[in-house]
Amino acid sequence: MRPTGTPVTRRARLTLFALAGPGLAAVLVIGLRGLPAFGDYHAVYGLVVTGVALSMRHATDLVTAVNFDLRAFDTLGEEYILFASVLGVTLLLRVMREEDEEYSVARHDMYGSSDAVRMLALLLVPLMVALGIYLVIHGQLTPGGGFQGGIVLAAAPAAIMLAGRYVEVKALAPTWAVEATEAIGAAGYALLGLGGLVFASVYLRNFLPAGNAGQLLSAGFMPLNSIAVGLEVMGAFLVAWTAFLDQALLIRRRRRGNQ
Amino acid sequence: MSFLPYAVAAWLFVVGLWGVVASRHMVRTVLCLTVIQSATYVLLLAVGYRSGAQAPVVADIPPVTPLVDPVMQVLVLTDIVIEATVTAVLLALVIQAHKRFGSVDPSDLRPLRD
Amino acid sequence: MSPHITALPVVVPFIAAAVLVALRPLTRRWMDDTTTGASVIAIIVLLALLLERSVQRPIAYWMGGLTPVHDVTIGISLSIDPLGAGLAAFAAILVLAVLVYSARYFDDVDGLFHGLLLLFTAALVGFSLTGDLFNLVVFFELMGAAAYALTGYLIEDQAPIQGAINFAVTNSIAGYSMLVGVALLYARTGALNMTQIGLALDRHAADPLVIVAMALLFVGFLTKAAAVPVHFWLADAYAVAPTPMCVLFAGIMTELGVYAIARLYWVIFAGPMHPHMAALRAILVAVGVVTALLGSLMCFQQRHVKRLLAFSSVAHIGVLICGVGLLSDKGIAGDAVYVVGHGLIKAALFMCAGILLHRFRTIDEYDLHGQGRVVPAAGILMALGGLLLAALPPFTLFAGKSLLEEAASQAGYNWLIVVFVVASAVTGAAVLRVTARIFLGWGPTDAPEAGQARAGRVSEDEVGGRPEHTPPMMIVVPAVLLALALAVALIPGAVPAIEAAAARFTDHTAYVTWVLRGRAVHWPSVAPSHISLADVGYSTTSVVAAVGLAAVGLFGRPLRRHVPVAIERPWLRAVHVIRDLHSGHIGDYVAWWTAGASVFGAICLLALA
């Protein structure tokens, strides 16, 4: 019997794409030609939302109103995608049997960190925390919300890590605590939805009073949703970054002869 | 001129696919995926654009001002989060691939050949 | 008034997963198992209640209470009809089976597996129940996010990493394709709710934008369903994923891609595509036939048992795509029964493969030659599975296949029956062949090629525990699943109920009434089909052919001398070319994806404009 033939060569692969790529581009362009001209907008969904969202929910940032109220179920799925992916990263970057976490001093200082970087981080951290909190709780008023604010909040510890204090950050905010924060945020959002079920008889119905537009406590449960998502996003990104930094800085193959 | 954003979206989509096909480094493969995703962002936001309209924040403008579509922006926001997280999973796999195979070139991954 | 519990089957696993992860440092394995098991059982009960309710009257549940006004929606709906609810319940049942089966797996990851499994379950359920197009894509991505990491779980081996990367890249691209389709449809109709989009599209004929949107959405879901030529990722992923995950992938996840195509056609595109039904039918059936035949061919070539089962799944997915492609209610009914039958059988077969892997640390057919004698129960189950896979009458897969055969003749596609018989026979034969070789020691021990052998051996323990003894649960669970595969079609009224559900699924105009306007629909009664003698004849043929082909696979090497060289050499060359295309290189797979998408789009534009 003949042995298996030569594997697909790079040239064959590129040739296939050279034929298929323009074909796909043509199909896409033909489909896109049917779109209305750029800027010529008639979509019912958007028109209705911009018309009623302010009066319905007293929220002035309509993107957040759609994200955390009108299409909150999508956001629930989205935040759990984030949750699942971070669980996945933790699973995939776990310490294997032949590896060890080594805390020897020379390893964990990030290359290039200096006093200047440390001082800059020190100045930036309170600013980032303040900005993050502002973005999270003002989600229903101005552009922002849980996702954006959560990232900025996660950037604060990240700045300290980059300033060379990775191990200290890990000691101060151990992984189990950060994971718990993330999980509380995720559960919190789903539970707020249950609040809608319990108090307003439909899941994810906005059951808190809408308040006055432009005030901090307005738009029903949107600020609470924002906070839940903010916690979750902050926790999730810190867990992910920690997993990657562990791989780069701490985890080493166990040397033969050692325990 | 009014077709340009859509043409850019189509271009990004195909160029990103090319990047994935021709890549010799798996990190580049992963980043080319984000290029393909950018095509969908451009398309979604272009579909939602309205000439002469303001951003969908009504904090200090009269309520009858025409506004850009907030729903498309929400879709893009959702997609950005999804993309970031899937990229994280893929990069974790690339790290492990580097440890297992000693290489990040897709051609060096042997075991699953039929 | 929709039941208050409607959202709970999706919410319960979400909350349970978050709680499990939050308490991860404190919990033990048995706590995780109990919490997860209790959640899944709760989901099954909830879905059973919803299923019963949806049979009386389908449920349109609007999140946040945002009911539509004048047929315009601003919220997200769960549009629950009996087929969707039934599919979700079936998914949850498989998850429970996996949970019981995998008590010995995943010992060293405290809580991560359970969390990911719960999120995967939430995605399966949400995907089956949702009525919103973008929400469908979100649940598709959630399914993927949980699946990619679990596929690459065995990080200490090389193959799982590669399989997971191929899986993740290909399915992500599928998601992007879907998003382009969503954008196109939104620009045309201004809606994201599937029923509202369908209503808006009904007013006009199909123009290139609608055709391209349909093509891109279908290509995306066909990638998930592993149709040819976007199927390459599936064999890689199934071969390397831990067995419990393979059970779920093969049992329900891949089939949901076919479900999505059916749902999208009947809710959104049935209106504009109505004048072009014949052409669309031809296109989809062609995809299904190529997939079924290629899957069968590759299946028989494998010696890696999990990869063999993966390709047999591809073959059966081809049959399912034909069923949807016939664009009739009988086709959908046949597919629904077939999904249940095939899902149960494939799940049981993968569990048997897991038993072998656990016991012998290898899943290669020739390495395992004769060794299965020490675990005969698994052999009996595998043999039964192989016969059932060949559509042994009168059991569930046979019932589904008969409905499909009837649908094919009604649509004038009588020759499809030959394809169905071939797919059943070849895949059943492959399973019977490996069963005989492993458990009875039949056939030669020297292998034709050594190249595949290395891939079949596992270095890391996929499971804990001593290999001298197979835990009884690992045998009981697949036995129960096979018993269900025998029983389901025999329950009086089960198949007619599925046929009635399929008739409602395919009633395009009714969706507007019960989803957008919340009014009751008068469903006409459906005359149940009867099994004809011809159906029994076809399936008996496939079973006999399977046994015969298995025998040839085992003992047929001397027969090769009688095959004329003029046939043998080109045939072998063609087979080798096809096998070489399955190279494991992600660039190849994406190049084929681009080719498939462009050809499918081009054919749709030419045939349907």
Side-chain angles (χ1 to χ4, degrees):
Chain A
M1 201 158 198
R2 278 180 54 137
T4 314
T6 52
V8 180
T9 60
R10 182 176 166 77
R11 168 171 291 177
R13 188 183 307 143
L14 297 182
T15 314
L16 177 61
F17 190 85
L19 297 171
L24 184 62
V27 167
L28 285 173
V29 166
I30 292 175
L32 293 169
R33 291 280 302 276
L35 288 173
F38 178 64
D40 187 15
Y41 176 78
H42 298 294
V44 166
Y45 202 160
L47 290 172
V48 168
V49 167
T50 51
V52 307
L54 177 59
S55 50
M56 264 173 68
R57 295 286 185 256
H58 297 186
T60 54
D61 175 14
L62 299 187
V63 175
T64 305
V66 175
N67 208 11
F68 287 127
D69 188 326
L70 300 181
R71 293 191 69 88
F73 193 56
D74 266 350
T75 311
L76 181 68
E78 166 199 359
E79 72 157 5
Y80 274 99
I81 293 177
L82 175 59
F83 194 70
S85 296
V86 170
L87 284 183
V89 168
T90 312
L91 186 73
L92 292 172
L93 294 181
R94 67 186 187 272
V95 179
M96 297 189 288
R97 267 174 312 182
E98 71 240 16
E99 288 174 339
D100 238 342
E101 289 190 337
E102 289 179 19
Y103 285 83
S104 61
V105 174
R107 288 259 165 75
H108 72 252
D109 273 330
M110 295 209 64
Y111 179 71
S113 68
S114 65
D115 286 332
V117 174
R118 288 198 193 106
M119 213 184 73
L120 201 58
L122 198 63
L123 289 174
L124 281 179
V125 162
L127 289 176
M128 284 194 268
V129 172
L131 181 66
I133 296 179
Y134 169 84
L135 284 177
V136 168
I137 62 178
H138 279 74
Q140 71 279 10
L141 303 175
T142 51
F147 291 100
Q148 297 91 320
I151 298 277
V152 175
L153 282 173
I160 308 179
M161 290 189 210
L162 287 175
R165 288 281 171 258
Y166 179 61
V167 178
E168 284 81 345
V169 171
K170 275 193 78 171
L172 204 60
T175 310
W176 64 261
V178 180
E179 264 188 15
T181 312
E182 177 198 1
I184 289 172
Y189 191 98
L191 287 170
L192 279 170
L194 273 184
L197 183 60
V198 168
F199 298 115
S201 81
V202 185
Y203 189 71
L204 280 174
R205 190 179 216 154
N206 203 333
F207 62 95
L208 292 177
N212 298 321
Q215 287 189 350
L216 201 56
L217 287 179
S218 65
F221 67 7
M222 275 188 233
L224 296 178
N225 275 342
S226 231
I227 294 174
V229 170
L231 283 177
E232 199 234 341
V233 170
M234 177 181 77
F237 277 92
L238 281 176
V239 168
W241 291 336
T242 316
F244 279 97
L245 282 172
D246 274 355
Q247 287 284 327
L249 300 179
L250 289 184
I251 292 182
R252 295 288 178 266
R253 195 178 196 90
R254 197 171 286 146
R255 267 162 288 177
R256 307 273 160 81
N258 281 13
Q259 182 31 283
Chain B
M1 190 59 199
S2 64
F3 190 73
L4 187 61
Y6 306 136
V8 167
W11 167 254
L12 284 174
F13 200 94
V14 178
V15 156
L17 283 174
W18 164 259
V20 174
V21 171
S23 166
R24 274 191 229 183
H25 192 300
M26 284 206 275
V27 175
R28 180 176 162 211
T29 309
V30 173
L31 293 178
C32 288
L33 278 183
T34 66
V35 171
I36 307 178
Q37 176 101 83
S38 311
T40 62
Y41 301 156
V42 169
L43 181 60
L44 285 166
L45 291 172
V47 162
Y49 181 72
R50 194 173 173 183
S51 317
Q54 307 270 11
V57 179
V58 293
D60 51 2
I61 53 176
V64 295
T65 327
L67 297 173
V68 168
D69 190 339
V71 177
M72 286 292 105
Q73 302 198 358
V74 166
L75 260 56
V76 172
L77 185 58
T78 307
D79 288 337
I80 290 176
V81 173
I82 294 175
E83 174 217 338
T85 58
V86 172
T87 304
V89 174
L90 274 169
L91 288 175
L93 284 168
V94 171
I95 289 182
Q96 293 294 17
H98 181 252
K99 279 199 245 169
R100 289 285 135 277
F101 294 95
S103 157
V104 283
D105 187 336
S107 309
D108 289 337
L109 306 182
R110 294 270 125 181
L112 286 175
R113 288 204 12 230
D114 213 76
Chain C
M1 193 62 203
S2 318
H4 292 302
I5 59 168
T6 313
L8 291 183
V10 179
V11 175
V12 163
F14 277 159
I15 297 182
V19 167
L20 269 182
V21 171
L23 298 177
R24 211 158 69 89
L26 302 172
T27 54
R28 299 289 205 66
R29 178 65 193 256
W30 65 264
M31 295 184 210
D32 291 335
D33 279 333
T34 326
T35 318
T36 313
S39 309
V40 177
I41 292 176
I43 295 170
I44 296 176
V45 169
L46 289 167
L47 285 170
L49 291 170
L50 288 176
L51 176 62
E52 201 216 315
R53 181 63 171 272
S54 68
V55 171
Q56 301 160 16
R57 183 175 167 159
I59 303 168
Y61 187 84
W62 294 93
M63 291 290 170
L66 297 161
T67 46
V69 173
H70 297 309
D71 292 344
V72 174
T73 67
I74 57 172
I76 296 176
S77 78
L78 297 181
S79 307
I80 306 181
D81 66 341
L83 259 185
L87 206 58
F90 180 61
I93 292 174
L94 281 181
V95 172
L96 188 62
V98 162
L99 204 56
V100 175
Y101 175 83
S102 62
R104 299 307 213 92
Y105 281 69
F106 303 108
D107 268 335
D108 57 336
V109 285
D110 38 87
L112 290 176
F113 165 68
H114 294 82
L116 283 169
L117 185 67
L118 282 169
L119 294 176
F120 190 71
T121 312
L124 295 172
V125 171
F127 192 87
S128 311
L129 299 181
T130 186
D132 184 281
L133 186 59
F134 185 69
N135 201 229
L136 191 71
V137 179
V138 168
F139 278 121
F140 166 83
E141 300 279 2
L142 179 60
M143 230 188 277
Y148 308 150
L150 285 172
T151 304
Y153 166 73
L154 296 162
I155 52 177
E156 308 200 7
D157 271 334
Q158 290 186 327
I161 314 273
Q162 186 185 8
I165 292 178
N166 291 348
F167 184 9
V169 171
T170 334
N171 278 253
S172 294
I173 294 176
Y176 304 150
S177 173
M178 293 175 205
L179 285 173
V180 176
V182 171
L184 290 174
L185 287 178
Y186 182 82
R188 174 54 58 85
T189 63
L192 288 175
N193 182 280
M194 290 198 251
T195 312
Q196 192 185 339
I197 296 176
L199 183 61
L201 288 180
D202 278 348
R203 300 193 188 114
H204 306 285
D207 68 325
L209 180 141
V210 172
I211 297 173
V212 170
M214 184 184 81
L216 289 172
L217 282 165
F218 280 10
V219 167
F221 287 111
L222 283 172
T223 312
K224 176 57 129 196
V228 173
V230 291
H231 67 289
F232 293 96
W233 65 269
L234 184 143
D236 290 354
Y238 283 28
V240 303
T243 308
M245 291 320 295
C246 292
V247 169
L248 287 176
F249 292 168
I252 186 68
M253 181 185 83
T254 318
E255 284 75 356
L256 284 178
V258 182
Y259 160 80
I261 293 174
R263 179 71 82 182
L264 289 180
Y265 177 78
W266 286 105
V267 181
I268 298 181
F269 296 110
M273 286 297 144
H274 191 77
H276 308 283
M277 261 177 97
L280 186 59
R281 185 176 288 143
I283 296 174
L284 289 175
V285 166
V287 171
V289 167
V290 172
T291 307
L293 294 177
L294 190 86
S296 308
L297 172 70
M298 290 296 297
C299 169
F300 204 76
Q301 296 284 324
Q302 300 298 315
R303 49 184 284 186
H304 185 300
V305 176
K306 281 169 76 174
R307 217 168 149 81
L308 183 154
L309 291 174
F311 278 112
S312 99
S313 289
V314 172
H316 288 277
I317 288 282
V319 172
L320 287 173
I321 295 175
C322 289
V324 170
L326 289 170
L327 302 179
S328 71
D329 56 336
K330 220 161 286 271
I332 300 289
D335 266 10
V337 178
Y338 202 95
V339 163
V340 171
H342 171 260
L344 291 168
I345 299 170
K346 206 39 80 63
L349 285 174
F350 266 108
M351 288 183 178
C352 293
I355 294 175
L356 293 170
L357 196 59
H358 168 244
R359 199 65 183 262
F360 304 111
R361 291 283 178 274
T362 176
I363 199 66
D364 181 87
E365 182 186 352
Y366 285 91
D367 280 358
L368 287 168
H369 189 287
Q371 303 212 26
R373 290 189 189 104
V374 298
V375 57
I380 298 174
L381 292 177
M382 268 189 90
L384 183 59
L387 290 172
L388 287 175
L389 209 57
L392 185 69
F395 304 111
T396 312
L397 198 66
F398 161 74
K401 194 156 156 248
S402 329
L403 282 171
L404 287 178
E405 282 158 5
E406 207 178 314
S409 358
Q410 270 181 6
Y413 276 76
N414 292 34
W415 54 269
L416 260 187
I417 299 177
V418 175
V419 175
F420 295 164
V421 168
V422 167
S424 314
V426 175
T427 54
V431 173
L432 289 174
R433 184 195 80 208
V434 301
T435 311
R437 202 189 300 274
I438 294 176
F439 293 95
L440 295 173
W442 290 357
T445 50
D446 57 312
E449 312 126 21
Q452 284 190 40
R454 209 170 17 100
R457 296 173 197 135
V458 177
S459 59
E460 175 184 345
D461 303 349
E462 189 181 86
V463 299
R466 303 170 314 251
E468 306 94 53
H469 156 75
T470 302
M473 251 332 137
M474 286 177 82
I475 301 190
V476 167
V477 176
V480 168
L481 292 179
L482 278 181
L484 285 175
L486 294 171
V488 168
L490 298 175
I491 299 173
V495 175
I498 295 181
E499 288 190 73
R504 298 180 193 188
F505 186 89
T506 56
D507 193 340
H508 173 66
T509 45
Y511 279 101
V512 174
T513 315
W514 65 267
V515 175
L516 293 181
R517 298 177 189 156
R519 291 203 289 266
V521 180
H522 170 69
W523 305 101
S525 56
V526 175
S529 316
H530 297 285
I531 309 232
S532 71
L533 214 51
D535 293 334
V536 177
Y538 298 135
S539 293
T540 317
T541 314
S542 62
V543 172
V544 167
V547 172
L549 203 54
V552 168
L554 287 168
F555 308 114
R557 219 174 273 176
L559 290 175
R560 299 215 18 225
R561 271 177 272 135
H562 300 288
V563 178
V565 177
I567 297 182
E568 187 186 2
R569 295 203 74 199
W571 168 256
L572 283 179
R573 186 97 181 87
V575 168
H576 275 303
V577 166
I578 294 178
R579 287 183 59 179
D580 282 341
L581 291 176
H582 293 76
S583 63
H585 190 290
I586 186 62
D588 289 342
Y589 293 5
V590 175
W592 280 109
W593 190 91
T594 314
S598 57
V599 168
F600 188 79
I603 292 181
C604 284
L605 280 171
L606 291 171
L608 302 171

